[in-house]
Amino acid sequence: MKFGVIGSGSWATALAKILTDNGNTIHWWIRNAETIEYMNERRHNPHYLSNAYFDHHRLHLQPSLEQLVADSDVLVVAVPSAYIEEVLSQLPAGALKGKQVVSAIKGILPSANQLLNDYLAQHFGLPLTDYFTVLGPCHAEEVAAEKLSYLTFSGIDETSALEIAGHFKTPYLNTLTNHDVIGVQYAAILKNIYALGAGIAHGLEYGDNFLSVYIANAADEMVSFLKRLVWDKESAEEQKTINYAASVYLGDLLVTCYSLYSRNRTFGNMIGKGYSVRSAQLEMNMVAEGYNASRCICKTNETVQAPMPIATAIYDILWQHLPARQGFRKIEGLLV
């Protein structure tokens, strides 16, 4: 398999490290020509995970997205969801024919309120059988430090998912597979919203007890949404095989709510301390996927009709200018 990595942020850099550490030679799309020149000379990304060094013989850095796609069999998409449409608009409609796409984004496309697989099917005719996700409780910073981590590769074609996952398995990265390609994406979207809320709670100086109760209730709310979402897409028997306590669901929620590496938690912490949304965005200079996700999930839930009082309260804080303290007073009365 010839892999192409699309994106140059911290998670794209971590995935590129995993692939090359496992002996793969990759094509890597990086928009900035100066960054490409620097990496060719210095063997590391100057902007993200700068302590992760690469064997330059295994890198083909490419400023042309269309050429990268032509040169690759499997495309790993690691661009923030808010920018993915702008990036992929460079490609002609037939560019993805015969390709497999692995989504590494943990968000929803905000302009169309779509998952990436729906966008690719609509604009490029990519069948769901050629679409996979790589998700789970994994931080780019820990990958760079080679701390043991777990990632789950999901696809309705589990044989292909297993084959792709094998190219990422290293001594510091264990890989798992499942078939719930839609559910895991929504779980990743929701955990960012709840993690942002956990950050708000921290900024408001709630304690560990409250946070643990909050996360337990958020997990229950997430599972309720996921069960309603897939009910019409999967038989009852198939749904029973989904373990919502697994790392790609509950594990990812926990780490994103608790970890100091979590940008959503950091963003929420600023909101809890009194920052405006815009001020927090400028301060971080990084994308917190939970911000746009909170609005998109509320829109999606108009159809799903799952009870989501926690996600709704966070949406009201972020988008309807509800004071954070007032919003969490509402949440206090909901928790069990």
Side-chain angles (χ1 to χ4, degrees), residues 54 98 112 174 180 232 275 306:
F54 293 87
N174 283 339
D180 185 27
D232 293 331
Y275 283 69

Side-chain angles (χ1 to χ4, degrees), residues 301-316:
N301 199 42
E302 292 175 7
T303 301
V304 177
Q305 291 290 298
M308 303 193 75
I310 298 175
T312 300
I314 294 167
Y315 164 78
D316 288 340

Side-chain angles (χ1 to χ4, degrees), residues 134-187:
V134 52
L135 297 167
C138 195
H139 288 306
E141 294 83 358
E142 291 190 346
V143 169
E146 299 187 2
K147 293 185 177 182
L148 182 62
S149 302
Y150 291 72
L151 282 174
T152 298
F153 290 78
S154 300
I156 60 173
D157 181 348
E158 287 193 82
T159 300
S160 293
L162 188 62
E163 182 182 5
I164 291 170
H167 289 270
F168 287 80
K169 187 172 178 61
T170 72
Y172 60 85
L173 199 289
N174 283 339
T175 58
L176 309 167
T177 60
N178 83 1
H179 67 278
D180 185 27
V181 69
I182 304 300
V184 295
Q185 291 180 91
Y186 275 108

Side-chain angles (χ1 to χ4, degrees), residues 6 12 26 107-108 112 131 142 151 161 198 207 215-217 238 262 299 323:
I6 300 175
I26 65 170
I108 196 165
Y131 180 85
E142 291 190 346
L151 282 174
I215 295 171
N217 280 260
E238 286 178 318
S262 169
K299 181 68 175 176

Side-chain angles (χ1 to χ4, degrees), residues 123-316:
H123 293 275
F124 297 96
L126 185 80
L128 191 59
T129 50
D130 288 336
Y131 180 85
F132 306 87
T133 61
V134 52
L135 297 167
C138 195
H139 288 306
E141 294 83 358
E142 291 190 346
V143 169
E146 299 187 2
K147 293 185 177 182
L148 182 62
S149 302
Y150 291 72
L151 282 174
T152 298
F153 290 78
S154 300
I156 60 173
D157 181 348
E158 287 193 82
T159 300
S160 293
L162 188 62
E163 182 182 5
I164 291 170
H167 289 270
F168 287 80
K169 187 172 178 61
T170 72
Y172 60 85
L173 199 289
N174 283 339
T175 58
L176 309 167
T177 60
N178 83 1
H179 67 278
D180 185 27
V181 69
I182 304 300
V184 295
Q185 291 180 91
Y186 275 108
I189 294 163
L190 286 164
K191 62 91 182 180
N192 283 333
I193 300 170
Y194 298 131
L196 204 155
I200 295 175
H202 185 267
L204 291 171
E205 299 186 348
Y206 285 90
D208 289 346
N209 177 278
F210 176 85
L211 189 58
S212 67
V213 175
Y214 165 85
I215 295 171
N217 280 260
D220 187 62
E221 184 174 294
M222 180 177 77
V223 171
S224 174
F225 177 90
L226 294 177
K227 285 183 175 180
R228 292 203 183 196
L229 175 77
V230 303
W231 188 256
D232 293 331
K233 295 183 175 70
E234 300 189 39
S235 71
E237 287 303 313
E238 286 178 318
Q239 192 179 52
K240 289 178 183 176
T241 67
I242 300 174
N243 176 13
Y244 290 116
S247 61
V248 74
Y249 304 99
L250 179 59
D252 206 4
L253 172 66
L254 291 173
V255 77
T256 312
C257 286
Y258 281 118
S259 176
L260 296 180
Y261 288 128
S262 169
R263 63 186 67 177
N264 287 285
R265 184 183 186 276
T266 300
F267 185 88
N269 185 53
M270 291 180 181
I271 300 299
K273 289 183 178 298
Y275 283 69
S276 68
V277 166
R278 183 58 181 156
S279 295
Q281 289 171 326
L282 291 172
E283 181 77 16
M284 282 185 64
N285 195 30
M286 295 178 77
V287 176
E289 295 275 15
Y291 172 62
N292 283 320
S294 64
R295 182 172 64 173
C296 292
I297 283 294
C298 281
K299 181 68 175 176
T300 300
N301 199 42
E302 292 175 7
T303 301
V304 177
Q305 291 290 298
M308 303 193 75
I310 298 175
T312 300
I314 294 167
Y315 164 78
D316 288 340

Side-chain angles (χ1 to χ4, degrees), residues 6 75 77 84-85 88-89 91 93 96 99-103 105 109 114-128 130-132 185:
I6 300 175
L75 303 168
V77 182
I84 193 64
E85 292 174 76
L88 296 182
S89 66
L91 297 174
L96 301 185
K99 307 294 182 181
Q100 292 179 314
V101 174
V102 180
S103 171
I105 68 171
L109 281 61
Q114 287 181 309
L115 295 178
L116 180 59
N117 59 276
D118 292 323
Y119 176 84
L120 295 179
Q122 178 182 344
H123 293 275
F124 297 96
L126 185 80
L128 191 59
D130 288 336
Y131 180 85
F132 306 87
Q185 291 180 91

